[in-house]
Amino acid sequence: QVQLVESGGGLVQPGGSLRLSCAASGVTLDGYAIAWFRQAPGKEREGVACIMPNEFDTAYIDDVKGRFTISRAYSGNAVYLKMNDLRPEDTATYVCAAYPRPPDSSYVCYDSIHGGVHSQMLRFWGKGTQVTVSS
């Protein structure tokens, strides 16, 4: 069982930046593909970004491309989501999730954050961290 814990959320003004962290207790995350999702009040959960174990294969939804960057800590202990140029519509609870085993293809990562069936393969979920973008 992998327990994921998110941190780094907070209140930020439009145009500002935050870096979210996803860490696991007792294990390193360097062998896991990790996806970030977000859910705003009254809206469905949506995928944001995903990173494969090799750290070079990443995927993003169009809305965050060029603004958000998913990466791994050098130590392997965390996965980050660096968010720049934040907008009020980015306000949501951000949650990270992990697959129980490395996906066979980076397409799994891509599909999971774009509403595809592969999102059902995500086994471990954190409880989330709140991001509020407001002036």
Side-chain angles (χ1 to χ4, degrees):
Q1 188 75 7
V2 177
Q3 294 183 324
L4 301 176
V5 179
E6 302 91 343
S7 61
L11 173 64
V12 63
Q13 292 186 341
S17 299
L18 284 173
R19 189 182 76 166
L20 307 183
S21 295
C22 174
S25 57
V27 297
T28 61
L29 294 180
D30 54 0
Y32 292 86
I34 303 293
W36 282 96
F37 290 78
R38 65 185 180 185
Q39 187 165 19
K43 294 187 177 181
E44 292 187 359
R45 185 179 67 198
E46 67 171 347
V48 176
C50 187
I51 188 167
M52 291 288 282
N54 66 18
E55 83 179 312
F56 299 111
D57 287 328
T58 59
Y60 301 89
I61 59 170
D62 287 345
D63 187 54
V64 306
K65 280 182 181 177
R67 299 190 299 125
F68 292 10
T69 302
I70 189 170
S71 64
R72 294 184 177 274
Y74 180 77
S75 64
N77 290 334
V79 169
Y80 303 123
L81 184 67
K82 180 65 187 300
M83 306 185 296
N84 296 325
D85 190 24
L86 283 162
R87 306 165 181 169
E89 53 264 39
D90 294 318
T91 295
T93 297
Y94 285 71
V95 181
C96 63
Y99 298 87
R101 62 188 61 84
D104 294 334
S105 164
S106 59
Y107 175 75
V108 173
C109 222
Y110 174 90
D111 184 67
S112 293
I113 65 168
H114 287 88
V117 297
H118 289 97
S119 62
Q120 299 175 21
M121 297 171 57
L122 289 157
R123 177 78 56 81
F124 310 114
W125 293 82
K127 294 183 178 181
T129 184
Q130 177 66 36
V131 172
T132 303
V133 185
S134 175
S135 56

